[in-house]
Amino acid sequence: MFVREENFKTFIRLYPVVSIITALHLIIFLLLNIGPQAEFLYYYFAGSNYYISQGEYWRLATPIITHVSLTHMLFNTFSLVIFGPALERILGKGKFLIGYMGAGILADLATYLILPLNFAHIGASGAIFGLFGIYLYLMYARKEYLGAGNRQILLVVLIFSLITTFTTEGINIYGHLFGLIAGAALAPILMAFVRKHKYR
């Protein structure tokens, strides 16, 4: 389920939403690190609480595809490529996109509501934790989608991710936690009309 054996063309064909988001991660990372447009893009893509309070609501979404640090971008993109495809297959393209972006936006909204106006952030971590939240719902409410081995893998990854959330400097803790909560809250809505089948 989490081992990718497809070649490049097959991966893109089977998982178009994951592929497009991955491409956006890479393109925006390059644009933010190469060329004169970098400062302009960062200024308009960062999740600045102050500018959100001034009505720039797109900043609740743009941080989800924005990374400046190579390690930050690679970690989030790797997580998306490993854990995204199975959910895209289970939910379908539209529901997967709603779950991923919805969890990320709700995590950024929580960040805006809880943290001070001078706080700014970027990164897909809230959306990635949203995927974990959807999986958490599947683990306990729709077990037919996950075998025992996959549940163990997910629990280990989730516990490790939560530990690093609280022990790594510079992490948006609220973004991670509310991304997880948002994913779990959105999951039953997204799964309501999904045809029953097993994906192991």
Side-chain angles (χ1 to χ4, degrees):
M1 188 174 192
F2 303 122
V3 177
R4 304 271 53 91
E5 297 177 347
E6 307 90 352
N7 60 37
F8 185 70
K9 281 188 175 181
T10 303
F11 186 93
I12 292 174
R13 178 174 58 82
L14 292 177
Y15 316 115
V17 177
V18 170
S19 299
I20 290 169
I21 297 172
T22 297
L24 286 173
H25 282 192
L26 297 172
I27 291 167
I28 292 173
F29 169 77
L30 291 174
L31 290 175
L32 284 170
N33 284 275
I34 301 172
Q37 75 289 328
E39 186 175 346
F40 172 85
L41 278 178
Y42 185 83
Y43 179 81
Y44 281 102
F45 277 42
S48 165
N49 282 355
Y50 173 76
Y51 287 115
I52 293 171
S53 75
Q54 300 303 302
E56 297 184 3
Y57 300 119
W58 71 81
R59 295 178 184 272
L60 295 171
T62 51
I64 299 170
I65 54 171
T66 306
H67 303 84
V68 172
S69 161
L70 177 62
T71 55
H72 192 198
M73 186 274 293
L74 288 177
F75 182 83
N76 282 338
T77 303
F78 179 76
S79 298
L80 173 64
V81 169
I82 294 299
F83 297 106
L87 282 181
E88 185 170 345
R89 288 284 295 277
I90 292 170
L91 295 171
K93 296 185 286 293
K95 291 186 182 71
F96 174 79
L97 182 60
I98 291 170
Y100 183 81
M101 292 300 296
I105 289 170
L106 288 172
D108 289 346
L109 179 61
T111 296
Y112 166 67
L113 293 173
I114 295 171
L115 294 176
L117 287 180
N118 63 357
F119 185 81
H121 63 98
I122 56 172
S125 300
I128 298 297
F129 268 82
L131 298 186
F132 293 148
I134 297 172
Y135 276 122
L136 197 61
Y137 170 80
L138 294 179
M139 276 191 278
Y140 293 101
R142 302 291 291 272
K143 294 181 180 180
E144 68 270 22
Y145 287 93
L146 299 170
N150 290 322
R151 288 198 294 271
Q152 286 184 334
I153 291 170
L154 285 166
L155 281 174
V156 170
V157 171
L158 179 57
I159 290 169
F160 175 78
S161 299
L162 287 172
I163 290 171
T164 57
T165 293
F166 289 99
T167 57
T168 304
E169 189 176 352
I171 292 290
N172 178 7
I173 295 174
Y174 294 108
H176 287 202
L177 293 181
F178 280 94
L180 181 68
I181 293 168
L186 288 171
I189 301 170
L190 297 172
M191 291 295 297
F193 302 103
V194 173
R195 184 179 301 173
K196 289 185 178 182
H197 68 280
K198 294 183 180 180
Y199 187 126
R200 293 175 184 253

